[in-house]
């Protein structure tokens, strides 16, 4: 594998931190509004079930 430049490493670190914070925010939102979270999960499941390649 090729060596990554410091800029690429910094970008990857920032991206990983962003994705971590995003997941934490989703979990917090799900705890605060469980009904809305359930609706969102059902919609995502329906979207997955009806998606065809």
């Amino acid at each position: 594998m090729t060596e990554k430049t410091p800029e690429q490493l910094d970008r990857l670190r920032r991206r990983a931190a962003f994705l971590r914070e995003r997941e934490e925010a989703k979990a917090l939102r799900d705890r605060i509004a469980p009904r809305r979270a359930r609706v969102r999960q059902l919609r995502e499941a329906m979207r997955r079930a009806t998606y065809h390649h």
Side-chain angles (χ1 to χ4, degrees):
M1 193 156 149
T2 62
E3 289 296 315
K4 299 206 181 311
T5 65
E7 293 85 16
Q8 288 173 321
L9 291 173
D10 184 50
R11 180 182 170 276
L12 289 173
R13 270 193 292 276
R14 282 187 284 121
R15 181 175 185 271
F18 167 77
L19 292 175
R20 249 192 327 272
E21 290 171 3
R22 183 171 161 241
E23 287 302 313
E24 289 173 10
K26 276 186 180 181
L28 178 63
R29 197 168 56 230
D30 289 354
R31 283 196 305 274
I32 291 172
R35 184 181 299 157
R36 190 176 297 160
R38 212 167 22 255
V39 169
R40 182 177 53 78
Q41 289 169 349
L42 287 171
R43 283 196 183 122
E44 288 175 1
M46 287 301 295
R47 195 173 303 129
R48 281 192 304 271
T50 58
Y51 181 77
H52 300 287
H53 294 336

